[in-house]
Amino acid sequence: MAMPAPAAAGSGGAAPGSVGDVRRSNLALVLGAVAEFPPGTCPSRAQVAGATGLTKASVSSLVLDLLDAGIIREVGLNPQGRGRPGVGLELNPGRAVMGMEVNVDYISAAAVDLAGNVVIREVRERDNRNSAVGPVLAALAVLAARVRSAAGEQGVEVLGGGLAVPGLVEPATGRVLTAPNLGWVDADLDLDALLPETPLGVALFNEANAAALAELRHRPDGASNFLFVSGEVGVGGGIVIGSELFTGPEGHAGEVGHIVVDPGGGRCSCGGTGCLETVAGQDAIFSAAGLAPEGASRTASMSALLQALEAGETKALSAVTRAGRALGIGLASTARVVNIHSVVLGGHFAVLEPWLRQPLLESLQKYAPGKYTPEQVTVSAVGESGALLGAAGSVIRSLVEAPHRLHA
């Protein structure tokens, strides 16, 4: 699994170089080796020993700890050429992590097994604009409990979770510093209440960064350098360089939605003027297309927009064209600063790509000639599940790097 993650909290108190510390490192080494084998390949203890450089006896002892913790399981027999076949090992599909997301107009939750497969996923449309933190998290806790129960009925135990939020976050304290479209400022989240009595607890992530990490793992082209830009009510971005998420010194890099694309434009939720999301955000597009009826759901509004685009309605085409041009200005500016030549479109940008693409490419050519070729502008490989997969995947990665958290 090639998904970087924050260091796990509560990793133990052994002094560096102690016997306990070495064993914990070796547990992670063995589990990482099992996780790195291709899907469908179940390595034997001997193969894990070969991959890690540890002795077969050491691997056998460490594997027992991982089996006791329920992180891996034994499966069938794995032929190894000459001699007796060995018992295969794989990540236990009966263990999962919950990916959760709060966005402006919906909440969602998904149980994701340790191999990164979605076991069950639910989305509930909900207007979270200017809602107090408590009711939003309470609604999410109910949704997460339902998903957790459904996973349990399939024999899958949820070990912990990751929550993705569209705003600047402070993961170490569980605080949302600012989420303008939610109306949250310096909001302390009771993360443990989302998944009570789970050994790994709940970690906090920025929504676009989480989705970028999911994209990194699932990209069919194996790209290791790209800008992920997600269109929701707001516009978020995640920068991946050398297969690592770049977040800057305070963890807040990638705020593409607040690049100024029209200095004389409208007021943004962040307090600025003319930001990208005032033109290319979901609400901005619906409004410009004349499709923002009071009380309409996100699904209904997007469906109406797509119908209007397919019918060639002028206002809808004009709104998406304007959004594509503005997006091109924002991406051109980003390309100049971070020198990345590949962009991945997520959220409604992926949905609207057939109509958005041409004005976007024209804008990129005008404002950043030669920085992007058409082939370097692609759509998301993970779709609407990106933030869920990324949040869950990061927690899974932290478990792989510190499996003793479950064995302790």
Side-chain angles (χ1 to χ4, degrees):
M1 299 177 68
M3 205 173 288
S11 58
S18 70
V19 173
D21 190 58
V22 171
R23 186 167 183 84
R24 280 190 282 273
S25 295
N26 286 341
L27 274 173
L29 188 62
V30 169
L31 181 57
V34 174
E36 288 294 338
F37 273 82
T41 303
C42 301
S44 67
R45 288 165 173 77
Q47 287 173 312
V48 172
T52 60
L54 300 172
T55 66
K56 293 181 182 179
S58 293
V59 167
S60 293
S61 174
L62 294 162
V63 163
L64 286 176
D65 283 356
L66 296 172
L67 290 169
D68 287 345
I71 307 175
I72 63 173
R73 71 173 185 177
E74 294 179 321
V75 288
L77 294 175
N78 182 356
Q80 303 174 60
R82 296 182 179 180
R84 291 177 56 192
V87 176
L89 303 169
E90 70 173 4
L91 296 173
N92 188 352
R95 300 291 183 270
V97 166
M98 186 86 71
M100 295 169 285
E101 182 180 4
V102 170
N103 220 302
V104 179
D105 48 7
Y106 66 89
I107 56 176
S108 59
V112 180
D113 71 21
L114 299 184
N117 304 304
V118 175
V119 178
I120 182 170
R121 171 178 176 261
E122 287 198 25
V123 180
R124 177 185 162 195
E125 292 198 353
R126 187 183 193 279
D127 188 354
N128 297 315
R129 293 171 179 83
N130 299 312
S131 294
V133 172
V136 175
L137 291 192
L140 182 58
V142 171
L143 185 65
R146 190 160 65 237
V147 171
R148 186 178 180 182
S149 176
E153 291 174 0
Q154 298 183 35
V156 177
E157 177 188 352
V158 173
L159 302 175
L163 170 63
V165 174
L168 303 183
V169 301
E170 194 172 69
T173 62
R175 172 175 291 184
V176 176
L177 300 177
T178 176
N181 289 308
L182 294 175
W184 294 358
V185 178
D186 289 331
D188 292 313
L189 308 187
D190 185 2
L191 297 174
D192 289 338
L194 293 173
L195 288 174
E197 299 180 0
T198 52
L200 300 182
V202 177
L204 181 62
F205 302 92
N206 167 269
E207 169 261 336
N209 284 343
L213 288 174
E215 203 66 42
L216 173 63
R217 183 171 187 265
H218 293 275
R219 289 302 299 165
D221 56 10
S224 58
N225 302 283
F226 60 87
L227 169 66
F228 175 81
V229 57
S230 176
E232 302 283 350
V233 171
V235 175
I239 301 169
V240 175
I241 300 175
S243 296
E244 297 283 342
L245 182 68
F246 175 76
T247 59
E250 295 181 350
H252 303 152
E255 288 291 290
V256 179
H258 299 292
I259 291 176
V260 177
V261 297
D262 181 7
R267 191 77 167 167
C268 182
S269 62
C270 73
T273 299
C275 297
L276 175 59
E277 75 174 43
T278 66
V279 181
Q282 184 175 279
D283 285 354
I285 294 174
F286 290 159
S287 179
L291 298 169
E294 187 70 26
S297 70
R298 174 178 68 112
T299 301
S301 296
M302 183 56 71
S303 177
L305 176 61
L306 291 173
Q307 289 178 20
L309 290 169
E310 289 168 355
E313 293 185 12
T314 302
K315 285 188 73 173
L317 291 170
S318 176
V320 174
T321 296
R322 181 168 177 254
R325 288 173 177 161
L327 180 58
I329 294 172
L331 295 180
S333 299
T334 305
R336 298 289 193 188
V337 174
V338 298
N339 197 33
I340 289 179
H341 305 282
S342 179
V343 62
V344 179
L345 304 176
H348 67 248
F349 294 144
V351 176
L352 299 175
E353 189 265 350
W355 298 274
L356 190 81
R357 185 176 184 83
Q358 191 57 39
L360 168 59
L361 292 176
E362 290 172 357
S363 186
L364 286 173
Q365 182 57 32
K366 180 177 181 179
Y367 298 108
K371 285 292 184 180
Y372 295 102
T373 66
E375 294 75 23
Q376 291 170 317
V377 179
T378 59
V379 298
S380 169
V382 293
E384 293 185 349
S385 297
L388 297 175
L389 286 171
S394 290
V395 175
I396 292 169
R397 184 63 187 177
S398 73
L399 174 61
V400 171
E401 293 174 348
H404 66 275
R405 296 165 66 198
L406 283 188
H407 189 261

